[in-house]
């Protein structure tokens, strides 16, 4: 580039620009440079760069050397010496536009910027950077807040989901309990109804039996007196005496009355058991004799324990310990007993039907005191036993291995709820497949008893 071309090119540019060679010779300078120095453009021609700066020739040469040997812009500081004697510190950017050659030295373009402008630009830049940094910080904070809100939202959603799951579980539990309670309450109501209906006439018979016996005995005495004192009996009466065999009748009548008494006494006992079993009037906690509950339940199940067609009799062995009265919900404890006993009977019947009975079918019921706070009822059968897979689901709601319509799979689930949740007790099953099953119920004698050592609910 020639100085003329440079001047032509830079004529309209507002920033101060200089064209120098690597020796420091000023080849051209545009109007803004002249204006800064307070000189006319022509006055600048033929000057050396060193003439218009305060820096030493050596420093300037080094700078120009650096500019001519670098491909990038080289920054420097130049202090211009103005025509009026004042100085102006400028920032310079030097770039080689024509490298050195053997024919000519390197041409360097210097772009000057007064330090005040540069520093005000710098301040502006810093301000901008500050603003940007603040903006970035704001955005970061907003992003963090968003993350936090999102996290909180997720936690809240999870909490809600858990709460809904919990409610659903509770609802399902209540539903299953309601089904079973409804089933048991209708059984209980029916039993209580039948017991009530039988109770009155039986008491009526039982109450009058004594008088009837007395009256008959009186009448018989009268007949005997007639026989003794009226010797001239007409043939018709004599014939009747022989026909009815009065002597045998007198003897047998006493026996008949005796057996009628035993019979009605038995019916009264059955009615008592039925009422005891249903215990509809006892929704409250009550101190009861557990053995009475077991006996009443066995009475209710008597028909299923007796031999019938292909089913042999199921023998029940009782081994009652000396138990204190237990504070409990009696009808619910009876529900548990019937659920466990029915399961044993079902299992034993199944064995009988399949011809797999190895021994007489038996149910063993044992009661004992664990300590002064706890009692234990054990119901064991010599049925088929329970395999491990069934054992692990035994207390699950709706789990059954029985045919559709035969089992709803609620018996043990509800029993577990009654013993564990309602009475603070324990219900466990011990079984080895092929060797019968044993259910152990542990209940506190009174509410608020110290919990006994927990054991696994299901064990093989
Ligand atoms: N003594 C037992 N011997 C063998 N299997 C048993 C015994 N007791 C319970 N089971 C098994 O446990 C399952 C669940 O018993 P559960 O009493 O809960 O329900 P279910 O008897 O099938 O139906 P539900 O009692 O509602 O009429 C039974 O289906 C049966 O497979
Ligand atoms: Mg059952």
């Amino acid at each position: 580039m020639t100085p003329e071309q440079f001047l032509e090119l830079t004529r309209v540019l507002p920033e101060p620009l200089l064209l120098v060679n690597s020796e420091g010779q000023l080849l051209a300078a545009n109007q803004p440079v002249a204006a800064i120095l307070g000189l006319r453009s022509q006055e600048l021609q033929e000057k050396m760069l060193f003439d218009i700066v305060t820096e030493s020739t050596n420093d300037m040469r080094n700078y120009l050397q650096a500019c001519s040997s670098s491909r990038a812009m080289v920054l420097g500081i130049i202090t211009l010496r103005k025509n009026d004697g004042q100085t102006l510190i400028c920032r310079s950017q030097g770039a080689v536009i024509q490298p050195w050659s053997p024919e000519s030295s390197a041409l360097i373009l210097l772009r000057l910027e007064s330090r005040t402008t540069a520093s005000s630009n710098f301040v502006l830049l810093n301000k901008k950077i500050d603003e940007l940094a603040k903006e970035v910080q704001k955005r970061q904070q907003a992003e963090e807040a968003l993350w936090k809100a999102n996290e909180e939202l997720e936690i809240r959603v999870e909490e809600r989901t858990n709460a809904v799951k919990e409610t659903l579980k509770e609802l399902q539990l209540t539903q299953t309990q309601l089904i079973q309670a409804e089933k048991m309450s209708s059984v209980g109501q029916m039993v209580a109804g039948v017991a009530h209906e039988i109770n009155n006439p039986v008491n009526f018979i039982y109450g009058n039996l004594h008088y009837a016996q007395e009256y008959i005995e009186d009448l018989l005495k009268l007949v005997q007196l007639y026989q003794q004192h009226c010797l001239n009996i007409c043939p018709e009466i004599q014939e009747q005496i022989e026909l009815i065999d009065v002597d045998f009748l007198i003897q047998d009548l006493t026996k008949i009355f005796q057996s009628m008494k035993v019979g009605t006494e038995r019916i009264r006992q059955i009615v008592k058991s039925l009422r005891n079993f249903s215990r509809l009037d006892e929704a409250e906690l009550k101190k009861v004799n557990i053995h009475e509950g077991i006996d009443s339940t066995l009475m209710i199940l008597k028909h299923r324990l007796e031999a019938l067609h292909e089913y042999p009799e199921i023998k029940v062995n009782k081994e009652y310990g000396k138990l204190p009265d237990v504070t409990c919900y009696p009808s619910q404890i009876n529900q548990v007993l019937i659920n466990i006993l029915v399961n044993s009977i079902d299992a034993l019947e199944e064995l009988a039907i399949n011809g797999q009975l190895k021994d007489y079918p038996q149910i063993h019921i044992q009661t004992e005191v664990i300590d002064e706070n706890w009692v234990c009822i054990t119901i064991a059968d010599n049925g088929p036993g329970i395999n491990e897979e069934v054992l692990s689901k035994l207390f699950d709601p709706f789990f059954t291995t029985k045919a559709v319509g035969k089992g709803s799979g609620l018996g043990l689930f509800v029993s577990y709820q009654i013993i564990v949740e309602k009475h603070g007790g324990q219900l466990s099953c011990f079984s080895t497949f092929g060797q019968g099953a044993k259910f152990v119920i542990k209940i506190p004698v009174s509410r608020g008893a110290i919990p006994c050592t927990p054991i696994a609910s299901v064990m093989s």
Side-chain angles (χ1 to χ4, degrees):
M1 180 187 278
T2 63
E4 291 71 32
Q5 283 170 329
F6 168 80
L7 287 172
E8 187 58 35
L9 271 171
T10 60
R11 202 161 50 88
V12 290
L13 296 178
E15 59 214 316
L17 295 162
L18 296 164
L19 184 66
V20 292
N21 64 18
S22 42
E23 271 74 51
Q25 195 179 359
L26 244 174
L27 301 175
N30 69 353
Q31 179 52 36
V33 178
I36 291 171
L37 294 170
L39 294 167
R40 278 183 286 128
S41 296
Q42 290 93 327
E43 287 178 292
L44 280 170
Q45 282 169 14
E46 303 307 321
K47 275 194 187 279
M48 291 297 282
L49 183 61
F50 321 118
D51 301 334
I52 60 165
V53 298
T54 61
E55 280 79 15
S56 70
T57 311
N58 220 11
D59 284 351
M60 280 324 287
R61 274 194 206 287
N62 286 343
Y63 176 57
L64 292 174
Q65 194 55 45
C67 290
S68 51
S69 58
S70 165
R71 281 165 187 268
M73 278 252 200
V74 182
L75 291 178
I77 298 288
I78 292 176
T79 314
L80 290 177
R81 189 183 296 132
K82 295 211 282 190
N83 198 27
D84 57 8
Q86 289 188 358
T87 55
L88 179 72
I89 302 170
C90 289
R91 211 163 71 116
S92 93
Q93 294 170 327
V96 64
I97 56 170
Q98 192 178 297
W100 178 89
S101 72
E103 294 83 42
S104 62
S105 56
L107 286 186
I108 297 157
L109 175 68
L110 291 181
R111 181 172 172 264
L112 303 180
E113 191 178 12
S114 113
R115 215 167 67 165
T116 44
T117 326
S119 65
S120 74
N121 279 347
F122 190 68
V123 169
L124 221 74
L125 191 69
N126 268 349
K127 229 167 122 186
K128 278 270 179 231
I129 289 172
D130 271 357
E131 278 171 16
L132 263 172
K134 274 183 193 149
E135 182 66 25
V136 168
Q137 200 182 8
K138 250 175 144 178
R139 286 191 184 199
Q140 269 177 350
Q141 280 171 352
E143 202 177 331
E144 269 169 27
L146 203 71
W147 267 104
K148 223 169 145 193
N150 198 27
E151 259 174 30
E152 275 169 16
L153 199 72
E154 272 178 17
I155 292 171
R156 292 236 306 261
V157 166
E158 205 177 310
E159 277 172 5
R160 286 271 163 91
T161 315
N162 286 344
V164 169
K165 271 189 197 160
E166 209 48 48
T167 316
L168 192 70
K169 232 163 105 186
E170 275 169 24
L171 273 175
Q172 280 170 340
L173 188 77
T174 317
Q175 188 195 22
T176 49
Q177 281 173 340
L178 274 175
I179 296 171
Q180 180 73 2
E182 179 60 30
K183 211 166 95 183
M184 291 313 291
S185 113
S186 44
V187 172
Q189 275 172 13
M190 200 183 77
V191 169
V194 170
H196 178 77
E197 287 305 317
I198 298 172
N199 194 39
N200 283 346
V202 161
N203 276 343
F204 178 72
I205 296 169
Y206 185 79
N208 286 320
L209 212 57
H210 174 72
Y211 298 109
Q213 191 177 11
E214 244 179 49
Y215 295 161
I216 292 284
E217 276 171 3
D218 289 349
L219 281 173
L220 287 177
K221 242 185 225 159
L222 192 67
V223 170
Q224 280 173 332
L225 282 175
Y226 267 118
Q227 276 181 322
Q228 279 171 17
H229 299 292
C230 302
L231 298 172
N232 286 334
I233 302 166
C234 72
E236 212 178 328
I237 293 175
Q238 186 60 42
E239 205 176 303
Q240 189 60 23
I241 288 173
E242 281 164 19
L243 190 73
I244 62 174
D245 193 353
V246 173
D247 291 336
F248 170 77
L249 188 146
I250 292 169
Q251 269 178 25
D252 206 39
L253 206 57
T254 323
K255 284 186 196 160
I256 286 174
F257 268 107
Q258 198 50 40
S259 57
M260 277 166 75
K261 255 189 182 168
V262 171
T264 43
E265 185 61 52
R266 196 154 157 61
I267 296 173
R268 286 180 76 216
Q269 279 302 324
I270 292 170
V271 169
K272 200 174 145 205
S273 290
L274 289 174
R275 297 179 95 184
N276 189 355
F277 173 77
S278 66
R279 286 186 181 263
L280 285 184
D281 47 336
E282 291 170 17
E284 299 289 310
L285 274 173
K286 241 187 157 186
K287 242 181 165 190
V288 291
N289 180 337
I290 289 290
H291 295 149
E292 271 182 17
I294 300 174
D295 290 342
S296 320
T297 309
L298 286 172
M299 172 70 79
I300 298 291
L301 292 173
K302 198 167 183 293
H303 68 288
R304 291 208 57 195
L305 296 166
E306 283 163 358
L308 183 77
H309 308 305
E310 69 266 46
Y311 303 128
E313 183 199 356
I314 297 173
K315 219 169 136 26
V316 176
N317 309 313
K318 291 192 270 186
E319 195 183 331
Y320 288 170
K322 208 171 169 322
L323 294 193
D325 283 353
V326 172
T327 305
C328 61
Y329 296 98
S331 63
Q332 293 189 4
I333 296 292
N334 289 349
Q335 250 187 58
V336 174
L337 294 171
I338 205 164
N339 284 340
I340 294 175
L341 285 165
V342 164
N343 281 346
S344 286
I345 295 170
D346 283 350
L348 288 165
E349 280 184 356
E350 180 96 4
L351 269 194
I353 285 182
N354 296 334
Q356 292 169 336
L357 275 176
K358 292 185 208 127
D359 205 348
Y360 293 111
Q362 284 181 38
I363 296 176
H364 188 83
I365 305 175
Q366 189 188 11
T367 62
E368 59 189 331
V369 167
I370 301 174
D371 57 34
E372 77 259 42
N373 292 316
W374 288 81
V375 294
C376 175
I377 308 162
T378 308
I379 299 173
D381 63 57
N382 61 345
I386 304 168
N387 68 34
E388 266 184 47
E389 199 198 333
V390 172
L391 208 52
S392 66
K393 299 179 196 147
L394 207 63
F395 298 106
D396 289 357
F398 302 111
F399 173 75
T400 181
T401 58
K402 294 172 191 171
V404 179
K406 195 140 192 270
S408 59
L410 285 176
L412 288 179
F413 168 71
V414 169
S415 303
Y416 192 85
Q417 303 294 319
I418 291 175
I419 297 299
V420 179
E421 310 285 331
K422 279 262 175 152
H423 290 83
Q426 288 183 2
L427 176 58
S428 325
C429 174
F430 302 86
S431 179
T432 306
F433 190 55
Q435 292 179 31
K438 182 164 89 175
F439 285 84
V440 179
I441 305 166
K442 289 183 181 174
I443 31 175
V445 174
S446 60
R447 302 320 303 276
I450 311 135
C452 67
T453 339
I455 52 162
S457 308
V458 181
M459 278 175 67
S460 56

